[in-house]
Amino acid sequence: MAVSPPDSFPPRKRRPGYFFPDKNENLLHSLLLLSKEISSFLPHEFLLRRTSASAIRKTRLLSVLFEDLLQSSAPVFPPSAALCFEELFLLIQRIKSLLEDCFNSSNTWLLIQSQSVSASFHDITLELSTILDVFPAGAGNPLNLCRDVRELVGLIRKQCFKEKGAYHLDPEDEVLRQQVLEMLETIKEEIVPDHSKLAHIFESLGLRDSAGCRDEMESLEEEVVKQTDPNSKSRVVALIGLVRYGKCVLYGASTPSSGGFRRSRWSKSASFDLNHVPADFRCPISLDLMRDPVVVATGQTYDRQSIVQWIESGHETCPKTGQRLAHTGLIPNKGLYNTIAAWCREQRIPFEPAAETVVKSNGGARVGGVNKAALEATKMTVSFLTGRLADEQPVEMANRIVHELRVLAKTDSDSRSCIAEAGALPLLVKFLGSEQPSLQVNAVTTILNLSILEANKTRIMETDGVLNGVIEVLRSGATWEAKGNAAATIFSLTGVYAYKKKLGRKTRVVKGLVELARHGPAGSKRDAMLAILNLTGDRESVLKLIEAGVVEMAAQVMSCGGGGVLTEDAVTILEMVVKKGGLMAVAAAYNVIHVLAVAALREGSDRARESAAATLVNMCRKGGSEMVAALAAVPGVERVIWEIMGMGGTARGRRKAATLLRLLRRWAAGLDDGQEHRGDDTSTTNVDMISVAAATSSTTSTRIILPG
């Protein structure tokens, strides 16, 4: 079928420039190696068979020419030949690049772009024809070519001449392309595709099982990053939705293969679970990968969209530390952005600043340029999965379906909304108590991913059994991963103030979080500590945390944290507990003064030092001279405070250190000025304080062995 070339191709990232050797002999040798490499290629298995085969065949014939020239006795080539060699080198490099692009590309995207790709191959043929027209292989035989090779060059020239007209598409490819485009349109109109037609398309594209579909979606996700044209990005996203839907309805839900590799001739990248994002790359509010990290006035980093929503909803405090924001300005964290971007490239995860798109209430096209077909395909996929889950399924099949929902819920806000609206939450409840660890993990992680969407937090809190099921996983989950993801779900829910108060008053929640923070591995421990930190914003919740042993937990983490991010979290928790908990908190913290001074004030990061200094100031002011005396007894503490004051750190940390030093100096001078802050704690004597501290230590925790 003859068609006219498209006016323009979708823009792609530019390739680096090509370089060729400066000497004819070296250039010929490079041409021979390059042409033989392409000659070893096989035509594309499913698409553009004739086009790719023609390019490979022409290159294989040219390799005979280069081999003969290298064996030629001609000492010097004419200038016209040298120029042709250079042009041929560039041209064959382009052939190789184009073939590699075809082999590496997603098959569905290659099909959609088949006209553009065929036009590119046609352009190469025209250029090759022009080069061969001036190539000195005729009269006089200046290159000393044998007769067979001269005839071969003439044959290639004739083939190129025949193809000078309009380029031709493979009829089967064009029919298949139209079928895919029509199917996307039917999906956009909310019409479920005919499964037999879908099966034919997938078979023709080589998508014959779940693993092949997963690989195809990975390739499409990479293609999203490559495309700069919004319309092209939109179409690729629609194709991802189509492949995901086809994968589920044709081959069923499936768990990813462990350590599997993409089936590509050119690249073999290990599959990756997006749920394993490093904690420092996740937004403390949404728990999702930060696409646009920004720093607020307290020095904490959040994803721009999440913190903007937090501020616009009326909050005036930092979500993580609870401190009042001095201003609402946001500073881009370019260093973290570059680090996240580099990590995503290594893991082959699409990464770009993500502006959330919104679906119009009337069901119209999406704002933000995303093809409506993607949304409707997601709805159809979710409907199919939840329908299957509603039926009685064997445990293994249920696990596969829940895992599919887990991965889909991680994708974007639309998927989270679709899953919740389809009634998945009540279906997931029964799997929270599953005896199969992987099913329990998949169920609680799906709920975690759903909770990222603000509207779903209410659904989770109000759907019978969901919250209790999550709490039960937190307390007695089968694995640390399940417990950690349950803690992360609690953290996500506490983003709503009313839910923060409700959850903080539940003894099971508080005890579960403290126990996980005390005994869990690093990842689960931090999930629990972030949730605890969110609860410390409410005074009544703080009292429950103290009863559950949060102070002793923080001391234990500080003693073993090695000055890292866990130490920062532990000190920040202790700061908020002391600030909100009054005398009870100070009494409970009396025995951890040494840990604060050594593990945080002396060895911690700038952030940990700041929080430690602020905590010690509050303790000394509320606890009186005995507290100051306990701090003064720590060896070298005054020198450490001087270092904080004079060697950088945060401005707040320096101010708190100066206040701490003044308290120590006045105590040393015999001035009973420890209780500078007088309020509800003035009725309790310092002797009473020490008595309470001793009682609290003996009844609520195992004694902490402090470093010497």
Side-chain angles (χ1 to χ4, degrees), residues 584-637:
M584 182 178 179
V586 177
Y590 179 78
N591 286 334
V592 303
I593 287 180
H594 197 154
V595 180
L596 264 175
V598 175
L601 203 62
R602 179 187 300 168
E603 301 173 357
S605 64
D606 288 344
R607 176 63 187 155
R609 286 181 165 195
E610 174 191 324
S611 292
T615 305
L616 289 169
V617 166
N618 272 332
M619 292 175 66
C620 289
R621 282 175 168 170
K622 293 180 179 180
S625 59
E626 281 78 6
M627 285 287 180
V628 184
L631 177 62
V634 178
V637 68

Side-chain angles (χ1 to χ4, degrees), residues 53 82 231 266 304 439 490 526 571 680:
N231 291 329
W266 302 105
R304 182 184 296 275
L439 179 53
I490 298 296
R526 191 168 192 223
V571 180
D680 59 357

Side-chain angles (χ1 to χ4, degrees), residues 20 24 27-28 31 62 65-66 69 77-92 127-137 143 153 157:
F20 45 80
N24 286 335
L27 181 55
L28 279 173
L31 279 166
L62 287 173
L65 167 64
F66 303 139
L69 286 169
F77 297 126
S80 59
L83 180 60
C84 287
F85 294 153
E86 294 176 0
E87 293 298 325
L88 283 170
F89 185 82
L90 296 174
L91 189 68
I92 296 175
E127 292 184 35
L128 178 58
S129 177
T130 301
I131 294 173
L132 294 181
D133 282 342
V134 299
F135 189 75
L143 299 180
V153 173
R157 186 185 293 118

Side-chain angles (χ1 to χ4, degrees), residues 279-290:
D280 292 339
F281 295 173
R282 294 189 299 174
C283 174
I285 297 175
S286 69
L287 300 181
D288 210 351
L289 180 71
M290 287 188 281

Side-chain angles (χ1 to χ4, degrees), residues 300 321 323 533 558 567-576 578 596 600-601 605-618 650 652-653 656:
Q300 298 297 318
T321 66
Q323 298 174 21
L533 188 56
M558 284 189 289
T567 296
E568 289 185 8
D569 292 340
V571 180
T572 306
I573 288 173
L574 196 56
E575 177 188 359
M576 293 299 298
V578 169
L596 264 175
L601 203 62
S605 64
D606 288 344
R607 176 63 187 155
R609 286 181 165 195
E610 174 191 324
S611 292
T615 305
L616 289 169
V617 166
N618 272 332
T650 66
R652 178 173 180 261
K656 293 297 182 181

Side-chain angles (χ1 to χ4, degrees), residues 474-495:
L474 172 67
R475 296 295 307 277
S476 57
T479 64
W480 289 118
E481 182 182 4
K483 292 182 177 182
N485 287 346
T489 305
I490 298 296
F491 167 79
S492 178
L493 295 173
T494 56

Side-chain angles (χ1 to χ4, degrees), residues 641-654:
I641 294 173
W642 272 108
E643 289 177 357
I644 296 174
M645 292 172 58
M647 297 181 63
T650 66
R652 178 173 180 261
R654 292 193 294 271

